[in-house]
Amino acid sequence: MASRDSANAEITPEVLLRAYACGIFPMAESIDDPTLFWVEPELRGIIPLGGFRVASRLARTVRSDAFTVTVDRDFKGVIDGCAAPQPGRDDTWINRRIRELYSGLYDIGHCHSVEVWQNGDLVGGLYGVSLGRAFFGESMFHRTRDASKVALVHLVARLLAGGYELLDTQYVTDHLRSFGAIEVPRQRYRSLLDDALGGIAAFDALPVDRPVTGAEALDIISAR
């Protein structure tokens, strides 16, 4: 279900948070479209944190620390990467208004980025919204194989360590399904969301001033 928003309507970061608490989120048709529309899918994608799966090959990559993973160090670089064309996707829904709104959420501590680096270059990452004990994944990107997957593994470890209960992926793709993503009906999603909003989680339960190693992340996931 979607409803179009006037280009001149006043949407602030605070309004955006209230929308997430109601189970809806904004999108744009394209990078050049100045308007947004609200979306509330009939079937919502989530990754049950207790059922998160890491393939053995990916686990070896994560544990090798071939990548350095940080959080909230280069939010602009991550959203730029997510907005750039990707293999199989020439256009993006991240327009100027989306950038401004989520940058505003980042400034007030409700949006976070996970950055993946290799030889000093930003090669992948993801960003999303944190509210209560829910984390709403917005977008991810990679410029090197496995970089976005490594970002997701580190995100899940951080959510588990911080007491989160819900990881919302909006939709389910084959890529996310390999990690354990499932679809839940709207009514079930709202129940999960209400439960998750009734508490406080800590995105900084793991260090934010230094990279977390792959071994640390995998140990947290395996101990869940």
Side-chain angles (χ1 to χ4, degrees):
M1 182 174 69
S3 59
R4 184 162 293 281
D5 159 55
S6 164
N8 296 318
E10 183 62 25
I11 301 178
T12 64
E14 291 75 18
V15 169
L16 190 53
L17 285 179
R18 290 199 292 272
Y20 273 100
C22 293
I24 61 178
F25 57 88
M27 294 188 73
E29 290 288 355
S30 70
I31 193 171
D32 298 319
D33 185 352
T35 64
L36 303 180
F37 57 92
W38 296 110
V39 181
E40 186 182 17
E42 290 284 351
L43 293 174
R44 192 68 163 246
I46 66 170
I47 296 180
L49 291 171
F52 184 70
R53 299 195 298 261
V54 183
S56 57
R57 185 192 65 79
L58 178 60
R60 288 194 296 272
T61 299
V62 172
R63 195 175 294 277
S64 74
D65 288 328
F67 300 105
T68 300
V69 181
T70 60
V71 297
D72 293 344
R73 185 170 298 182
D74 191 359
F75 181 81
K76 181 180 183 299
V78 168
I79 203 168
D80 285 347
C82 291
Q86 295 278 304
R89 188 198 74 193
D90 296 328
D91 204 356
T92 178
W93 53 271
I94 301 175
N95 64 5
R96 180 182 59 80
R97 292 190 73 203
I98 290 287
R99 287 173 181 267
E100 292 172 349
L101 283 169
Y102 288 89
S103 294
L105 286 183
Y106 174 77
D107 289 341
I108 62 175
H110 280 283
C111 202
H112 299 283
S113 59
V114 178
E115 303 93 12
V116 180
W117 307 84
Q118 190 172 54
N119 300 323
D121 296 324
L122 183 65
V123 295
L126 58 82
Y127 75 96
V129 175
S130 177
L131 186 62
R133 290 178 292 182
F135 190 89
F136 308 86
E138 283 298 313
S139 189
M140 60 174 61
F141 81 100
H142 70 277
R143 298 186 179 116
T144 300
R145 182 185 181 187
D146 288 340
S148 61
K149 296 178 181 179
V150 170
L152 182 57
V153 171
H154 277 260
L155 171 68
V156 168
R158 186 168 289 275
L159 299 184
L160 288 167
Y164 286 80
E165 291 189 353
L166 177 65
L167 173 52
D168 176 350
T169 66
Q170 299 177 350
Y171 300 101
V172 172
T173 63
D174 289 341
H175 170 68
L176 292 175
R177 203 179 300 276
S178 69
F179 288 96
I182 60 173
E183 291 179 325
V184 295
R186 183 183 297 163
Q187 186 173 355
R188 173 60 176 156
Y189 173 77
R190 286 178 173 171
S191 176
L192 293 170
L193 178 60
D194 287 345
D195 288 344
L197 294 178
I200 299 174
F203 194 79
D204 60 355
L206 292 182
V208 296
D209 57 350
R210 66 163 176 85
V212 172
T213 69
E216 288 176 287
L218 290 172
D219 286 347
I220 291 168
I221 291 170
S222 64
R224 67 189 183 280

